[in-house]
Amino acid sequence: MAKPLVATGHFTGCFGCHMSLLDIDERILDLVELVEFDKSPINDIKTFSRPVDIGIIEGGVSNDENVEVLKDFRENCKILVAIGECALTGGVPCMRNTVPLQECLNEAYLSGPTVAAGSIIPNDPELPILLDKVYPCHEVVKIDYHLPGCPPSADTLWAALVALLTGEEVGLPYELIKYD
């Protein structure tokens, strides 16, 4: 019997949620026995080779490339799980939402205190186009499950993933989702 396929992706954030996934420690060996990873920074596969059972995404959506990749995840994942505050709310990256985009670019590239004279705003056609603000993932595509935390603990990710893989309800105990 084929193992369930899992894909993971990262958008605008710190990559802490993927680090938390790796923090399942020796359970990573159990995970490898349970699933096969497709597209993921964990195995450096950059495109879907086939539809997957579970997609796990982290980070907010801040540019056109993020939108494309997120839509690709939704099309290729039976279940799509958003993990971490950046994916759920925009997190720290959405702090730029309080300032107009052009003002952010001017400060970062033209008039900030550490900007060298003669600097320009990068405009290479290969760079993703920034969106007007950072969006949580559910504002772009349908998300099936949300796991809060910055980042969610390894135990939270493990419990949710095992529940999804075994067909159980993803009912996490309070201890795994409290943040005090």
Side-chain angles (χ1 to χ4, degrees):
M1 184 171 170
K3 294 179 186 178
L5 283 173
V6 174
T8 69
H10 171 74
F11 305 116
T12 303
C14 71
F15 212 75
C17 294
H18 269 85
M19 295 307 297
S20 194
L21 181 61
L22 294 174
D23 281 345
I24 63 174
D25 298 327
E26 70 278 354
R27 292 175 290 187
I28 197 93
L29 299 173
D30 296 330
L31 185 60
V32 171
E33 292 298 317
L34 293 172
V35 304
E36 179 183 341
F37 279 95
D38 195 65
K39 174 184 171 48
S40 177
I42 293 171
N43 58 12
D44 203 29
I45 296 175
K46 300 193 182 344
T47 59
F48 285 98
S49 63
R50 56 195 179 252
V52 302
D53 299 294
I54 301 170
I56 301 170
I57 52 169
E58 70 165 306
V61 181
S62 68
N63 62 51
D64 64 337
E65 185 178 280
N66 291 163
V67 171
E68 263 182 58
V69 173
L70 182 55
K71 287 181 177 179
D72 194 34
F73 262 84
R74 181 68 274 175
E75 285 179 26
N76 285 284
C77 300
K78 292 177 190 168
I79 297 170
L80 189 56
V81 182
I83 63 172
E85 292 311 307
C86 294
L88 276 62
T89 67
V92 171
C94 80
M95 288 174 66
R96 84 160 164 95
N97 293 357
T98 63
V99 180
L101 179 58
Q102 191 59 48
E103 196 174 318
C104 287
L105 293 170
N106 288 343
E107 176 73 17
Y109 295 104
L110 302 177
S111 61
T114 60
V115 175
S119 295
I120 62 166
I121 296 174
N123 63 358
D124 188 291
E126 296 213 12
L127 291 174
I129 297 169
L130 292 175
L131 301 177
D132 62 329
K133 66 178 198 166
V134 178
Y135 293 87
C137 293
H138 70 271
E139 289 188 16
V140 179
V141 300
K142 178 185 179 288
I143 301 295
D144 300 304
Y145 295 96
H146 297 87
L147 296 179
C150 185
S153 71
D155 289 336
T156 301
L157 295 174
W158 176 254
L161 195 50
V162 168
L164 289 170
L165 291 169
T166 58
E168 302 286 324
E169 185 173 326
V170 182
L172 300 173
Y174 176 73
E175 295 75 36
L176 291 181
I177 56 171
K178 72 174 177 67
Y179 299 96
D180 56 333

